[in-house]
Amino acid sequence: KSPLALNDVFSKERSALAMTEPMLKIRNHHAASCGDPPIVASDTEDVYLGYFENRHGEQWIFTFDRKTRAATLRGGDVGWNSLFHVVDGIVPDLILGNDEQAWLRACWMAVN
């Protein structure tokens, strides 16, 4: 088949596999005292979403809005309802472990 015909086949296969349900559901590992976990959706192409869980079960969610260029971080251990701004790949108001810093840098590199 020609390259154009193969592209048509792949496009039809992708359309057939389109999901209407969430691709990923993650269980909250934190106590109720950490607040309600956020509902984070990347319903548009403008939102980048990153998730991290370290070996201790500490969970983090990174979001980046491509339109506004706003980057935020939430974590269960710091209270799910607290929103921290990410500036140049770091969060000035938080002390993160080495693994958390490495993940956050990877998220930052992915969106910049």
Side-chain angles (χ1 to χ4, degrees):
K1 289 188 176 185
S2 73
L4 289 177
L6 285 175
N7 284 338
D8 289 341
V9 169
F10 293 137
S11 179
K12 288 177 185 174
E13 287 177 5
R14 280 193 297 270
S15 294
L17 295 174
M19 297 176 50
T20 58
E21 294 296 316
M23 185 174 113
L24 180 65
K25 292 182 181 182
I26 301 169
R27 185 171 89 45
N28 177 27
H29 298 291
H30 297 277
S33 62
C34 294
D36 292 329
I39 297 172
V40 181
S42 61
D43 295 335
T44 70
E45 293 178 3
D46 296 327
V47 175
Y48 174 90
L49 174 63
Y51 171 79
F52 177 76
E53 180 179 333
N54 66 19
R55 66 182 175 268
H56 305 293
E58 298 166 339
Q59 298 168 291
W60 296 94
I61 297 173
F62 170 87
T63 57
F64 181 80
D65 185 313
R66 290 181 178 98
K67 282 186 179 178
T68 65
R69 311 254 337 135
T72 60
L73 185 67
R74 294 176 186 257
D77 281 359
V78 294
W80 283 122
N81 297 320
S82 298
L83 186 65
F84 296 89
H85 295 282
V86 180
V87 180
D88 293 329
I90 61 170
V91 182
D93 301 330
L94 285 178
I95 297 173
L96 300 173
N98 290 336
D99 52 351
E100 295 160 337
Q101 289 175 17
W103 165 76
L104 185 58
R105 278 193 304 273
C107 288
W108 191 254
M109 288 175 58
V111 298
N112 286 289

